[in-house]
Amino acid sequence: QQPNVYERLNREGVEFLTVTAGKFKRTLTPFKKPTDEDFKKSEEDLEAIWTLFKDFVQQQRPHLDVPSIATGETWFGMDALERNLVDELKTADDVLLEKRDQGKEIYTVKYTEPDASPLATLLPAGSDALRQAAAKVLFGDKAANALLEMSTQGQNPASRTFMIDNKADETFFM
């Protein structure tokens, strides 16, 4: 399931161009009018993937009546166990303790933010001066001021898309 905005873009005069290699590289996309051939190809692809999945499950669990459970439904916990979709139910802690008892080593991995650059350590704490200077060089004064305003309001400029026109009166953020 995906939205198709082709008609809306067409009404607005927006043409979305895609360059691909191969007749079926892009069948159903939100940006083009789908054809009967596109739908047919997508359905064929889905059926092929579904068949591969069912065959894999059958190979891994030969005792399983795959056609009776290959319905698109989802089963959790005891329901999956009763249908022989899982071998047993355990918590993550149970698995880790079992592995430890078997003599396996268990590691904890923790991400920590990298230290500030040497240049940033010269700036006052919480200073956006370096970013502000870089933004001025790259995008001009208006964009730099908008970026500074965003960061002082607690917004993350790195997660935004910018449309910058240095001759315009405004900078737009999406």
Side-chain angles (χ1 to χ4, degrees), residues 114-161:
D115 293 334
S117 72
L119 183 57
T121 59
L122 299 174
L123 301 171
S127 171
D128 285 328
L130 184 58
R131 276 189 230 126
Q132 181 77 2
K136 281 186 180 189
V137 170
L138 294 171
F139 306 119
D141 287 339
K142 285 183 273 186
N145 292 336
L147 288 168
L148 179 61
E149 184 178 332
M150 285 178 70
S151 62
T152 57
Q153 294 173 355
Q155 299 175 13
N156 180 5
S159 66
R160 306 292 290 276
T161 301

Side-chain angles (χ1 to χ4, degrees), residues 10 19 24 34 36 40 44 59 105 108 138-139 154 159-160 164 171-172:
N10 196 33
V19 177
F24 295 113
D36 290 341
K40 183 179 180 216
E44 288 171 0
Q59 289 169 3
E105 294 184 32
T108 299
L138 294 171
F139 306 119
S159 66
R160 306 292 290 276
I164 299 169
T171 300
F172 298 96

Side-chain angles (χ1 to χ4, degrees), residues 23-161:
K23 181 178 179 180
F24 295 113
K25 187 67 174 181
R26 295 278 185 268
T27 50
L28 296 179
T29 76
F31 306 110
K32 77 172 196 133
K33 186 173 185 171
T35 65
D36 290 341
E37 185 180 30
D38 291 336
F39 283 114
K40 183 179 180 216
K41 177 63 175 152
S42 292
E43 288 170 1
E44 288 171 0
D45 290 347
L46 283 174
E47 188 59 38
I49 293 166
W50 183 236
T51 299
L52 285 170
F53 175 73
K54 291 187 296 184
D55 291 348
F56 177 78
V57 171
Q58 188 69 70
Q59 289 169 3
Q60 302 305 310
R61 296 188 175 273
H63 61 283
L64 192 62
D65 180 18
V66 172
S68 71
I69 57 108
T71 61
E73 295 172 90
T74 304
W75 292 285
F76 301 100
M78 290 303 297
D79 290 334
L81 186 63
E82 289 170 7
R83 289 174 173 82
N84 295 314
L85 297 172
V86 296
D87 296 322
E88 60 184 323
L89 300 176
K90 292 183 181 181
T91 66
D93 287 343
D94 289 339
V95 172
L96 290 173
L97 291 172
E98 186 178 285
K99 295 296 180 187
R100 185 197 63 190
D101 292 344
Q102 294 171 0
K104 307 290 184 192
E105 294 184 32
I106 299 173
Y107 297 92
T108 299
V109 177
K110 180 181 177 188
Y111 175 80
T112 44
E113 290 287 333
D115 293 334
S117 72
L119 183 57
T121 59
L122 299 174
L123 301 171
S127 171
D128 285 328
L130 184 58
R131 276 189 230 126
Q132 181 77 2
K136 281 186 180 189
V137 170
L138 294 171
F139 306 119
D141 287 339
K142 285 183 273 186
N145 292 336
L147 288 168
L148 179 61
E149 184 178 332
M150 285 178 70
S151 62
T152 57
Q153 294 173 355
Q155 299 175 13
N156 180 5
S159 66
R160 306 292 290 276
T161 301

